[in-house]
Amino acid sequence: MKRNSGFTLAELLVATGIFLLIGVMLVGMLKSGLDVWHRGEARRDVYERGQVILDMLSRDVSAAWVDRDPLPSKARIAKWDKETPPWNVAGLVCDRDALGRQRVVLTKRGRLDRGSGGEVPAEPGEGGAEAPPPDDPDAAPAAPAAPTTAGPVDQAGQLLQVVYVMDPEPGQFRLWRGTTAFGSAALTPDLLADASFVHGAFALVSTGVLDVEYKFWTPETLEWDSPLGSRSGPSSRWDSSRGWDERAPSYLGDRSRVECPDILPSKVLITITLLPEANRGEGSSLSADVDASTKKIEVDSTKGFPDAPGAALVDGEWFTYTEKDDTSFTVDERGARGTRSAAHTKGTHVVSGEALSTLVYLPCRKEPRKDEERR
């Protein structure tokens, strides 16, 4: 009698093990492929949003305009207020808000926004498209505009003040842009720190903006990599009137001799740090309390953070690090990028993002005369 052939138990175990091994390898390859795809999509999202934001910033900063009409020295000095930036002077001002984030107020020729974050289209009768009728159900509602009065418009457009500020509410990673007719609305630091005013009067540029950094090339700057504020380095502050901030470059010690002191930088390096939309809920959290001087920051995980050297944001404070392992950062600088070093409690969220930069040249720059005295 012939016996039917079959697999022995050992053969079945070996075959099952091979199939399991192949399955594990396939799952690992699929997971690795998905991770690469997600990282690529996140980077694509950052580059696309970053391009739009940097284009908008470049367009406005490169068009900055200063009042070149000479005025008597006494009239000039009367406009300067050393307690607050010269918001009523046509020019370029960059200072910091209460959280240490930079904000820019500049003057340019253009048209008032209608809440889009860009220039408005031409009015009917000026060669542009017809405005939608008020009862058009498909027409997008206009965002509230900053208080302003209609000013005269010439071929180059009216004189505007353009403002870029980070969201006044802590923890809200949003960049806002506002425009007002120059001289018609009094913008003050208090208004720019008022979240309800900014949200109602300005246009939202983008969400997921962790930081916007401006570096100005001063008459003494030799290289971008020199420390901010040093003799040969760039400046993080600017006052085109040179009558307000003694820390701003080319501040005038004796202003009585100069009739037209306004100056603009020759170029500006703008760096934005963006949080990918896909990673909005990611990041890490502090696994232990830290004080204002802690140099070893413990977190749940450093996965997804840039390799050292890098930077991260914890509750409004930037810190840079020279090394990182699976659960900690070796800190190089606390309170980086103009923020303040502070204590943080366990569980506080820590995030980081992709940094993108662009160099903006100001073709209409005006530098100080050699015979002007500067402090």
Side-chain angles (χ1 to χ4, degrees):
M1 181 176 176
K2 186 177 180 180
R3 194 176 71 176
N4 294 328
S5 61
F7 294 105
T8 64
L9 179 60
E11 292 173 334
L12 288 174
L13 290 174
V14 170
T16 302
I18 292 174
F19 278 115
L20 288 175
L21 180 60
I22 293 174
V24 170
M25 293 174 62
L26 290 175
V27 170
M29 293 173 62
L30 179 61
K31 183 177 183 302
S32 176
L34 287 175
D35 289 342
V36 171
W37 182 80
H38 283 304
R39 287 197 299 270
E41 286 295 297
R43 180 159 293 185
R44 180 185 63 83
D45 162 65
V46 166
Y47 286 163
E48 289 181 350
R49 286 191 297 127
Q51 185 66 56
V52 173
I53 298 171
L54 289 176
D55 283 349
M56 187 180 299
L57 284 164
S58 300
R59 184 182 65 215
D60 285 333
V61 172
S62 63
W65 182 88
V66 295
D67 186 1
R68 296 175 180 271
D69 295 331
L71 291 177
S73 299
K74 291 183 179 180
R76 283 276 175 181
I77 296 175
K79 286 187 175 183
W80 281 320
D81 182 356
K82 295 180 64 174
E83 299 300 323
T84 59
W87 306 107
N88 62 334
V89 176
L92 172 64
V93 173
C94 178
D95 68 342
R96 295 185 182 274
D97 62 15
L99 298 178
R101 302 169 301 182
Q102 288 174 287
R103 58 187 176 190
V104 163
V105 182
L106 61 92
T107 312
K108 62 172 282 189
R109 291 282 181 179
R111 301 289 184 84
L112 286 174
D113 291 345
R114 288 178 180 163
S116 65
E119 303 298 324
V120 301
E123 295 291 340
E126 295 181 350
E130 290 291 329
D135 56 350
D136 184 357
D138 297 327
T148 182
T149 58
V153 181
D154 55 24
Q155 292 183 352
Q158 65 189 120
L159 191 58
L160 305 177
Q161 272 191 319
V162 181
V163 185
Y164 282 96
V165 293
M166 294 294 292
D167 199 295
E169 293 184 357
Q172 297 296 322
F173 306 133
R174 296 181 289 191
L175 177 65
W176 296 86
R177 177 185 188 267
T179 59
T180 63
F182 178 70
S184 64
L187 291 172
T188 64
D190 289 339
L191 276 180
L192 297 183
D194 185 349
S196 60
F197 172 79
V198 171
H199 296 168
F202 290 0
L204 178 63
V205 175
S206 179
T207 59
V209 181
L210 299 181
D211 186 48
V212 181
E213 183 181 31
Y214 307 88
K215 292 182 179 180
F216 301 94
W217 190 273
T218 76
E220 291 83 19
T221 302
L222 298 179
E223 55 183 355
W224 291 113
D225 293 335
S226 296
L228 285 172
S230 65
R231 182 69 177 178
S232 62
S235 175
S236 62
R237 309 176 73 91
W238 196 268
D239 171 21
S240 60
S241 74
R242 296 191 287 167
W244 161 62
D245 190 352
E246 296 186 18
R247 293 169 294 177
S250 302
Y251 173 78
L252 285 172
D254 182 2
R255 295 167 288 169
S256 61
R257 301 182 183 181
V258 183
E259 293 185 349
C260 190
D262 300 284
I263 62 170
L264 289 173
S266 60
K267 48 192 173 182
V268 183
L269 181 63
I270 304 176
T271 303
I272 58 175
T273 305
L274 298 180
L275 182 66
E277 292 289 343
N279 299 347
R280 185 62 58 85
E282 296 184 5
S284 190
S285 299
L286 295 178
S287 58
D289 294 343
V290 298
D291 58 32
S293 59
T294 301
K295 289 293 186 177
K296 190 79 170 181
I297 295 183
E298 305 285 341
V299 294
D300 296 335
S301 173
T302 61
K303 182 181 178 181
F305 287 83
D307 294 332
L313 179 67
V314 51
D315 196 23
E317 179 196 345
W318 281 97
F319 66 88
T320 60
Y321 53 89
T322 55
E323 295 180 8
K324 73 165 188 172
D325 54 30
D326 291 340
T327 59
S328 67
F329 298 100
T330 301
V331 176
D332 176 45
E333 179 185 4
R334 293 289 303 273
R337 302 185 181 181
T339 58
R340 295 179 178 86
S341 180
H344 308 285
T345 59
K346 179 180 178 180
T348 303
H349 200 50
V350 184
V351 295
S352 186
E354 294 276 353
L356 304 174
S357 300
T358 188
L359 185 60
V360 181
Y361 290 87
L362 279 71
C364 296
R365 72 180 187 274
K366 182 185 177 186
E367 297 183 354
R369 298 195 305 266
K370 292 183 179 179
D371 60 340
E372 292 176 357
E373 293 185 7
R374 300 191 297 271
R375 177 178 296 178

